[in-house]
Amino acid sequence: MKLNIDGLLVYFPYDYIYPEQYSYMLELKRTLDAKGHGVLEMPSGTGKTISLLSLIVAYQRAFPLDVTKLIYCSRTVPEIEKVVEELRKLMEFYAKQTGESNNFLALALSSRKNLCIHPEVSSLRFGKEVDGKCHSLTASYIRAQRHVNPNQPVCRFYEEFDAVGRQVPLPAGIYNLDDLKDFGRRKGWCPYYMARYALLHANIVVYSYHYLLDPKIADLVSKELAKKSVVVFDEAHNIDNVCIDSMSVNITRRTLDRCQSNVDTLQNTIQNIKETDAAKLREEYRRLVEGLKEANVARETDVYLANPVLPDEILKEAVPGTIRTAEHFVGFLRRFLEYLKSRLRVQHVVQESAPQFLKDIFDKVCIDRKPLRFCAERLQSLLRTLEIADIADFSAVTLISNFATLVSTYSQGFTIIIEPFEDRTPTIANPVLHFSCMDPSIAIKPVFQRFQSVVITSGTLSPLDIYPRILDFRPVTMASFTMTLARTCLCPLIVGRGNDQVALSSKFETREDFAVIRNYGNLLLEMSAIVPDGIVAFFTSYVYMENIVASWYEQGILENIQRNKLIFIETPDAAETSMALEKYQEACENGRGAILLSVARGKVSEGIDFVHHFGRAVIMFGVPYVYTQSRILKARLEYLRDQFQIRENDFLTFDAMRHAAQCVGRAIRGKTDYGLMIFADKRYARADKRGKLPRWIQEHISDGSLNLTVDETVQLSKHFLRQMAQPFRQEDQLGLSLLTLEQLESEEMLQKISQIAHQT
Amino acid sequence: MDEEPERAKRWEGGYERTWEVLKEDESGSLKATVEEILYQSKRKRVIESHGQVRLGMMRHLFVVIDCSRSMEDQDLKPNRLTSTLKLPVCDIMHIQCKVICFVSPSGNPKKHIAALKKAVDTVCVGEPSLYNSLNLAIQTLKHMPGHTSREILIILSSLTTCDPANIYEMTKVNIMYMLLTFLICSTDNLSCSLNVRVSIIGLSAEVRVCTVLTRETGGSYHVILDESHFKELLTLHVKPPPTSSSSECSLIRMGQYRLENCDFTLVGLSLGGYFCPQCHSNYTELPVECKVCGLTLVSAPHLARSFHHLFPLEAFIESPVEELQGNGFCQACQGELKDKSIFTCPSCRSVFCVECDLFIHDSLHCCPCCIHSQTAS
């Protein structure tokens, strides 16, 4: 259907539209018009992706000079593929409606592992291996060597691409990963490099967060993307953690040992080169004296995305003399390494700020701040000069040099914590140096600065105002959309008491309480008797789950539950978990029914959807607070309080509630789906917790369902499940939660739609 | 109705939220009530049934009643089992059918009722197996002649099924079966190939495997809301389903019995007996297949009951109440027409309310006003 969104003609590839989709597009259009950033929350299963795509594509067609590119960032490969499929549908609709094939180029990009078509390289199992092997076949000096020595193995796909691929642009069309591979095979070109090259002139790019947020990758892949792009972060409720992870460094003893051997290798290589080709090193020296001027020029002319690891100031300077020659630099690295080793020999926990660390390093081993800052750049240059083929082996030393640069560049926003052992195993010495980023805005800042519009969207972003604060940007639109429903297909219930009136809570004091555990068991037992097919139960942590399940076993509750349903448990092991998931789905499919016990923040809670019968009920045992005793977290909380005026408790609650919302949101993946959401903790009833749930869940929590006993919950659930089992057809939705074009254009409906978006 | 005293004992009831029922009357809210949807589907049922379709009048319906642990649940009073058995299950059995394990195949409702009465005292333990019950049912049904429908109705209370094998594998077994028995059907599903239609009434909630099973076999799947809805769903199954094109047609010779009073009978102590018109064998109960000459013996009411399924009453025309001319009273119950729509009989133009419309279509099967005018003229 063709829509008129605030004066913009939008082609929408379906015959029906949800009212919230229309509202979402309106807000999105406003964001694009203002050339600003936006935060939009819309429940999952209401067609967020297609709304985003249709509007932005329409915008691109209407104002080709204002918006040149859409960069769509998603989390996982299956999600990326889904986006591309939606896009394909949209483009087919365009072709059918306008009768002309438009010259849109859209492509997905993923790692080499997913794109490689080289028969040997692609058979490797791990991403790192593939990267390393690829590099060893395609590095420039390897290829240069081939001119001398024709036996040198190279990748023929890359050679072919390099020879002809760059002259001819990729023909317009929609390419998912398989399409790229097919195209690559037909032409004999490397799909990975082809895609990376095509990024520059593609209209739509779909790839993972890391290509923009992780400075190391972003520097390679995304730095030349046009400024007039719209960036969309989908499923962005965890974006601050992604930012932080991409800037944090953890150093263990193993890292240092591997680093040591790396440095030794470097030393030897330098020796060899010196004997054979001293001119090369001299050339490098000359370049370093020249400084990083080129990079600076490029950044000033606005060609590149800024790199947070390579701060602006150092671009204006030349590499300091102390580390200019290769030997000196290696000696420098050695000293730095020894220093780190000595730091790891601590017996007690040390926490210090970056300036403290720098002062200490200066006192102990006379390493100045300035050379440290250049460490990362200098190492890259050295590796290039030494023509080291397999970069993967040098990950340890790269990590250390990145650390050196970061620690000397940022005096704020980072903290250094050295722990001699893990909290759980105080007897086993396992020293770790956490260099932890506390400020997610550092990593994402270049993105906000460079691109015209950045849209952060997800099913669960509540409370909306906290994201702009922790990511440090000013959005022009912030809106939360509700789900319009023809029948109330979600039923959030807060269970506060057991049948014996014992307050249910996972809080620390009552964690070991037998009565609470028994009542939790009772709840699960009773639910397992009345909920059909699948139930997913989430615990706050693995430890907590183990405790509870063990004590259920002793009390015989587990046995009783097993009469009703099979029980599967998520473990930290990925293979075990995927096995459990598979069996769980099988049990749901063939009518036996199953319960999956899993952990909030685990793999299951984030990426796996439990549509329809796979998740008729989600039970959240306790409030999933993050482990508050962790020093890294404490440091981060302190930082948030000092810098952003966010109170510790606010942040902890926010973090717990977004994970709880993620967990319970697994059950509802669309308007025809239905599911119970059971919050089994007294504390959910409090306004400060409840108020932080997404609006589309909140509005279904009535006052009557705030502090239920297990019995009441069972009665309500029974009633709900029977009602939902009544036949439900598309016609029932029409006009209420599903609209045709005429219905959409009616005055009354537009009025209603304007109430869907909740501005903050 | 004996429901009344039961309803009065509120303390026996479960935890109910009576105030929420009131909330659903609110207009203008987005929430369409489930009742509204239900009402629509009720109407639909009346309207739908009036296509020109061939109905399978000879039915072999296998009723499977779940007797597992969950039947002890007390959400239907006094418990699910008793409540189920009290319901007019025998209504469905007006044609040849059988209750699993209880009775031998016979068309006689008395036997079914007796069997059901006995079953009330059954202790419900263990878990049900859809696979086993289907297997058992199919074992029997496959021998039924091709012109009759083969149906299984399962009243399932449990939410799980404990099967000796994967229920979907049953399809494979059945395909083999189909090949062996030359049952003609193009679908690759087993139960389909045998033309067995499996319908399920769930007592607790929607279970995936039932949805799939009924969809694949062309049956229906319903979940009850309460006792009255349960009854309604059961009555749905009284109506013979349209036959699939693949089933054979055949003429069945049926004998009208002759009722004769005799002073003594060979069978039992009853005063009357039915004599087969062909061989004059004596039977005390109908319908039955004559043991001597193989003729199917039926009584007039049996045939009459089938008649209204074949030639149903036409659906009444629904129109908003504003369009009503004349006085605003229902022709049948003489009550005032208060609902938002009224129903008009297409032949005699009489006006009825919703309740009467349903009553006429569900129970009377003829328009009272039409009959009246016929007899008058």
Side-chain angles (χ1 to χ4, degrees), chain A residues 380-496:
Chain A
Q380 289 308 320
S381 154
L382 184 65
L383 288 178
R384 270 199 301 271
T385 319
L386 297 183
E387 300 183 349
I388 288 163
D390 205 344
I391 296 273
D393 290 347
F394 284 85
S395 59
V397 73
T398 319
L399 189 77
I400 299 286
S401 65
N402 276 341
F403 165 63
T405 307
L406 284 172
V407 77
S408 51
T409 309
Y410 294 98
S411 55
Q412 267 202 334
F414 288 86
T415 188
I416 295 163
I417 295 168
I418 307 171
E419 288 178 320
F421 45 73
E422 274 182 50
D423 273 347
R424 246 193 277 171
T425 51
T427 46
I428 305 162
N430 178 26
V432 187
L433 185 149
H434 300 283
F435 176 66
S436 138
C437 174
M438 297 181 298
D439 189 351
S441 66
I442 292 175
I444 206 169
K445 200 174 196 169
V447 179
F448 280 124
Q449 276 176 353
R450 174 159 180 86
F451 298 110
Q452 166 176 312
S453 285
V454 178
V455 178
I456 290 181
T457 184
S458 172
T460 50
L461 279 178
S462 293
L464 291 181
D465 55 336
I466 206 156
Y467 284 90
R469 274 160 85 192
I470 58 178
L471 297 179
D472 196 21
F473 71 104
R474 269 166 174 269
V476 290
T477 45
M478 276 205 282
S480 170
F481 303 87
T482 55
M483 180 147 56
T484 52
L485 293 170
R487 54 169 194 180
T488 28
C489 69
L490 66 166
C491 179
L493 300 172
I494 298 174
V495 189

Side-chain angles (χ1 to χ4, degrees), chain A residues 485-486 488 529-533 563-564 589 591-592 613 674 704 708 712 715-716 718 722-723 725-726, chain B residues 15 17 30-32 34 69 73 75 80 127 159-161 168 203-209 223-225 229:
Chain A
L485 293 170
T488 28
I530 58 155
V531 177
D533 301 325
R563 269 194 218 152
N564 296 328
E589 194 67 52
R592 186 65 188 86
H613 57 289
Y674 65 88
L708 302 168
E712 290 165 340
Q715 290 299 336
L716 286 177
K718 256 187 188 173
R722 282 202 175 131
Q723 293 227 315
Q726 303 311 317
Chain B
Y15 174 75
R17 302 174 136 200
L30 282 179
K31 290 173 233 156
V34 176
R69 199 153 36 88
D73 202 318
D75 55 354
R80 284 186 185 176
E127 280 160 35
L159 291 169
T160 64
T161 151
Y168 295 110
L203 297 191
S204 24
E206 183 188 358
V207 182
R208 170 72 178 174
V209 71
V223 175
I224 63 160
L225 285 172
H229 188 224

Side-chain angles (χ1 to χ4, degrees), chain B residues 59-62 141 149-153 196-197 237 241:
Chain B
R59 301 171 73 191
H60 289 103
L61 178 68
F62 210 107
L141 286 178
S149 76
R150 303 187 183 96
E151 290 167 64
I152 303 172
L153 171 66
V196 175
R197 170 203 303 265
H237 288 278

Side-chain angles (χ1 to χ4, degrees), chain B residues 187-214:
Chain B
T187 41
D188 51 354
N189 190 289
L190 131 82
S191 297
C192 274
S193 58
L194 280 169
N195 271 330
V196 175
R197 170 203 303 265
V198 182
S199 299
I200 300 177
I201 295 179
L203 297 191
S204 24
E206 183 188 358
V207 182
R208 170 72 178 174
V209 71
C210 301
T211 320
V212 175
L213 191 66
T214 48

Side-chain angles (χ1 to χ4, degrees), chain A residues 221-234:
Chain A
V221 178
S222 310
K223 68 178 175 187
E224 288 177 57
L225 294 180
K227 194 170 162 43
K228 285 181 178 168
S229 303
V230 176
V231 179
V232 175
F233 288 104
D234 197 3

